[in-house]
Amino acid sequence: MHCDYEKMVERFYTTHLNTGDRCVDVGAHSGRHTVPMARKVGRKGVVVAFEPLDTARSSLVQSLAAATLREALGKVIVHKCALGEVEGRTSFVVVDNLPEYSGLRERIYDVPVKKRLVEIEIRTLDSYADEIGAVRYVKIDVEGAELHVLRGAQHIIDTHRPIVSIEWGDNSLANYPYDSPEMARHVLGMNYRIMAITGEELDFDGFVAAAARQAFWDYILVPQEKWADVRWP
């Protein structure tokens, strides 16, 4: 059975975000989630979005402009960079025929792709801590670099304890220096619990097995102290 995982992610955060909340979209692409997030938090809320690809970021800005003409959106701040655990300049793999597969490293592709390298800026999420403020939710979809992003967001995670969603699967990890067990250890070590996008809690072994099978595309990381407040839509 085909699952619309993007719609499931949207259903989750629109259930848990409130008017005035602050949230982050890492790997915003053309705004598939930035716009609904901004809609949900309303005029008093803030969304900080990160997208290094010029074409995708241009589409994102256009989508935001069009939506703003129709409805009340929260303030959206768009940054032209990727996120990781170190800062500087780095190469970025652009997949022209499947731009959503673009990322810091090549991944396992399930169809033939046309690739090229560009140079981009990379920052840490913590370097934007003052701008982001008391963040409630962080969405990360960066084709395998999710653990790098989490490591570069340790101050924000320790301080504000946001709920985090990640897209994750072993196919995206082929050229990264870590694996799914290392991600599970990192998440559990932050005193977070792991939930599949379907609502099922996963322990260490369950997450590793699901990532190997590509059983789900997305996972929700919930602080232990907020677990009882999570409502599955």
Side-chain angles (χ1 to χ4, degrees):
M1 180 179 67
H2 173 73
C3 294
D4 186 342
Y5 290 110
E6 301 293 354
K7 188 65 178 177
M8 294 169 76
V9 171
E10 180 183 350
R11 190 178 304 124
F12 178 82
Y13 63 70
T14 53
T15 299
H16 290 83
L17 288 174
N18 301 308
T19 300
D21 278 343
R22 307 177 75 90
C23 47
V24 173
D25 190 354
V26 184
H29 201 58
S30 58
R32 167 64 182 83
H33 294 292
T34 313
V35 173
M37 288 161 66
R39 180 183 300 122
K40 181 64 179 182
V41 301
R43 292 192 184 278
K44 295 182 179 180
V46 176
V47 180
V48 183
F50 297 88
E51 177 50 55
L53 281 182
D54 289 339
T55 53
R57 196 175 57 260
S58 177
S59 294
L60 166 62
V61 171
Q62 291 175 19
S63 296
L64 288 168
T68 301
L69 292 175
R70 301 189 305 265
E71 56 193 312
L73 298 182
K75 178 181 179 181
V76 179
I77 305 168
V78 180
H79 289 288
K80 179 187 177 180
C81 64
L83 294 183
E85 60 180 311
V86 296
E87 300 198 340
R89 304 287 298 179
T90 189
S91 60
F92 189 86
V93 182
V94 179
V95 181
D96 287 319
N97 59 319
L98 279 174
E100 63 272 19
Y101 276 3
S102 302
L104 291 173
R105 308 282 178 90
E106 291 189 18
R107 52 163 292 158
I108 295 174
Y109 306 105
D110 46 16
V111 296
V113 296
K114 180 181 179 182
K115 299 170 295 184
R116 58 188 170 91
L117 291 179
V118 297
E119 186 179 83
I120 62 164
E121 180 183 17
I122 187 166
R123 300 281 303 275
T124 66
L125 190 61
D126 278 344
S127 68
Y128 293 93
D130 290 343
E131 177 181 82
I132 292 168
V135 59
R136 178 174 175 81
Y137 168 68
V138 178
K139 184 225 100 186
I140 310 174
D141 180 358
V142 286
E143 299 304 309
E146 286 81 2
L147 182 51
H148 283 319
V149 175
L150 288 175
R151 287 172 173 168
Q154 199 60 55
H155 171 74
I156 285 174
I157 288 171
D158 289 344
T159 303
H160 300 297
R161 307 293 285 169
I163 293 173
V164 180
S165 69
I166 59 171
E167 182 175 283
W168 186 264
D170 284 1
N171 283 355
S172 63
L173 305 180
N175 291 294
Y176 282 93
Y178 49 68
D179 54 17
S180 291
E182 190 166 348
M183 170 62 95
R185 283 190 290 270
H186 184 83
V187 173
L188 298 174
M190 298 189 306
N191 200 24
Y192 272 60
R193 292 163 76 168
I194 304 171
M195 182 186 292
I197 193 59
T198 53
E200 169 191 0
E201 183 178 8
L202 301 172
D203 61 10
F204 180 96
D205 291 335
F207 173 75
V208 171
R213 299 194 316 270
Q214 302 283 140
F216 314 103
W217 287 6
D218 299 274
Y219 300 84
I220 308 297
L221 314 180
V222 183
Q224 172 64 42
E225 68 274 15
K226 295 181 179 180
W227 183 259
D229 298 327
V230 171
R231 308 176 305 283
W232 200 255

